[in-house]
Amino acid sequence: MPATPEFSRVLARLRDAEHPVSMSSLYQLSDLAGADLEALEGAWAELPVERRRNILADLNEIGEANFEVTFESIFRLALEDEDAEVRATAIRALWETEDATLIAPLLQFLAHDPDVQVRAAAGSGLGRFVYLGEVEELPTAQARRVEEALLNVVGGADALEVRRRALEAVAYASRPEVAPLIEAAYASSEPRLRVSAVFAMGRTAEAKWGPRVLAELNSPEPEMRYEAVRAAGELELRDAGPNLARLVSDPDTQVREAAIWSLGQIGGELARKTLKQLRRRVTDEDERDFIDEAIDNLAFSDEVRALAAAEGEVAAADDEAFLSGLMRFDDDEDDEDDEADDLDDLDLDDLDFDDGLDDDEDAEA
């Protein structure tokens, strides 16, 4: 079946390398299926490599900014592209996809693709499936297969970029091998590996990494500060509040934005005041919207914590009542032993159990 006339015109514009692809044409690539997708598959390899790279980069940018469009079918098509940059971009663009059918090609890329950036992107991409396994939304066997592949890469001889991305990905896993790998990476003399170690700390959800993360908030390196700020938010480190409040004025844009979001994650009065004061100072509308999102996230986080604390207090009260009952039980045991001796002399046939049950039921009613 041929492509629709409308999409045939889109294909003609894609083939026209003399002119950039218009935004309207790119949007028409959303939700592509059927004959139109087949037509693009047939034409894709004919497009100049720079054209394919630019189209994919633009689609990725549009998809991140607009959740009402999806270009997954094109990104999957691009996984088979002969150009490594196109393949790597396609893998990164599929970062939200939770379809387990993507595991096999990602594992294949990780183990066998000749390009370092493609292998690194595949390692990062497998991280979401480790996470899905941790929250029991992926069969255990599949999750273990992914974890084993990533652990083999971390401990192997692949390029540093591939190993560090594999470490970041496998950090979600609650396995005994993970913590020593993070420790070793953090102790490394290689700056990029240390940065990945801090990134991985945030993904573990383990408070024991708190002191290291707090220390790196003062790092002179923007990349390390950025990852430490993110990790502080992921770990919900309240002690990071003063530093995060300071870092909303960091000279590095990414650090500033990460600090704003992490304040929303850790919650508390200091975070709330900092975000509200910051919102009054900024004039950029997009930045205000971002701060508003962080404030909304803070309110939600604080509400969840308050609810959890209330449930904890109820549970503690129940435990205290239970223990108090046990103590009373112990105090009464001696008296009950004496009563037991008297019960041995009773004739159970003389006891009217039915009348007692009826009285209990009447009392309950």
Side-chain angles (χ1 to χ4, degrees):
M1 180 183 296
T4 61
E6 184 179 14
F7 190 72
S8 294
R9 289 191 290 271
V10 172
L11 276 180
R13 290 192 288 271
L14 294 181
R15 289 191 175 103
D16 182 9
E18 297 298 319
H19 298 88
V21 182
S22 67
M23 192 62 67
S24 61
S25 295
L26 290 172
Y27 270 89
Q28 287 178 282
L29 297 176
S30 176
D31 292 304
L32 212 56
D36 289 348
L37 178 58
E38 290 180 8
L40 179 63
E41 289 173 349
W44 183 257
E46 300 172 5
L47 302 178
V49 63
E50 281 300 322
R51 190 74 159 176
R52 301 200 304 274
R53 290 175 179 175
N54 292 336
I55 290 172
L56 224 60
D58 289 343
L59 293 180
N60 187 26
E61 187 174 340
I62 293 171
E64 289 182 352
N66 188 341
F67 296 111
E68 295 180 357
V69 296
T70 175
F71 304 107
E72 182 174 336
S73 58
I74 300 176
F75 295 143
R76 283 182 176 263
L77 164 64
L79 291 176
E80 301 176 9
D81 200 284
E82 64 179 18
D83 181 66
E85 184 177 327
V86 171
R87 293 197 302 277
T89 301
I91 292 170
R92 287 191 288 266
L94 288 165
W95 68 276
E96 282 189 305
T97 303
E98 297 183 355
D99 184 355
T101 61
L102 195 58
I103 292 176
L106 288 180
L107 289 173
Q108 184 73 12
F109 284 129
L110 179 65
H112 302 295
D113 198 279
D115 186 82
V116 169
Q117 293 304 319
V118 174
R119 297 199 302 276
S124 294
L126 286 166
R128 65 186 165 280
F129 296 106
V130 178
Y131 172 77
L132 290 174
E134 282 296 301
V135 297
E136 299 181 348
E137 292 185 12
L138 186 72
T140 301
Q142 285 183 300
R144 291 294 174 266
R145 182 185 174 201
V146 172
E147 292 166 12
E148 291 296 336
L150 291 168
L151 288 170
N152 287 337
V153 170
V154 177
D158 207 330
L160 173 64
E161 186 65 16
V162 182
R163 287 186 284 117
R164 66 184 289 231
R165 299 308 179 189
L167 174 64
E168 294 170 358
V170 80
Y172 281 125
S174 53
R175 293 179 55 140
E177 303 100 312
V178 173
L181 291 172
I182 295 175
E183 291 276 11
Y186 188 65
S188 170
S189 59
E190 169 53 57
R192 289 177 296 167
L193 202 51
R194 296 187 72 252
V195 167
S196 287
V198 173
F199 180 104
M201 290 174 190
R203 282 189 163 179
T204 64
E206 294 181 3
K208 71 177 184 178
W209 302 111
R212 292 179 175 85
V213 172
L214 292 173
E216 296 300 344
L217 291 173
N218 297 309
S219 171
E221 298 300 325
E223 187 178 7
M224 178 61 90
R225 288 200 307 278
Y226 171 73
E227 294 301 351
V229 166
R230 284 185 50 177
E234 293 295 326
L235 296 174
E236 299 181 357
L237 300 178
R238 281 287 176 92
D239 290 346
N243 270 329
L244 293 177
R246 170 178 58 83
L247 290 169
V248 297
S249 300
D250 194 270
D252 186 271
T253 302
Q254 286 189 314
V255 173
R256 287 201 306 273
E257 292 178 348
I260 290 169
W261 192 254
S262 288
L263 282 170
Q265 289 177 299
I266 69 170
E269 194 58 29
L270 173 62
R272 182 180 294 104
K273 286 182 178 179
T274 300
L275 292 175
K276 288 188 174 180
Q277 288 174 2
L278 182 63
R279 190 189 186 284
R280 287 195 292 268
R281 294 205 311 265
V282 301
T283 57
D284 183 81
E285 195 64 32
D286 290 338
E287 192 171 356
R288 277 193 175 186
D289 290 343
F290 181 65
I291 295 171
D292 285 340
E293 289 181 26
I295 291 173
D296 290 343
N297 189 47
L298 182 149
F300 175 76
S301 298
D302 280 352
E303 184 178 340
V304 170
R305 290 190 191 93
L307 180 61
E311 291 176 348
E313 289 175 3
V314 170
D318 290 343
D319 290 343
E320 185 177 349
F322 176 72
L323 292 173
S324 178
L326 285 178
M327 292 175 65
R328 288 197 300 273
F329 176 79
D330 289 339
D331 290 339
D332 293 342
E333 251 189 344
D334 291 340
D335 293 338
E336 291 177 359
D337 288 342
D338 293 337
E339 292 172 2
D341 292 338
D342 295 334
L343 286 173
D344 288 340
D345 299 330
L346 289 177
D347 185 353
L348 298 182
D349 292 335
D350 294 336
L351 298 179
D352 190 348
F353 289 105
D354 290 337
D355 289 344
L357 288 172
D358 292 339
D359 291 343
D360 290 341
E361 291 172 357
D362 291 341
E364 291 176 1

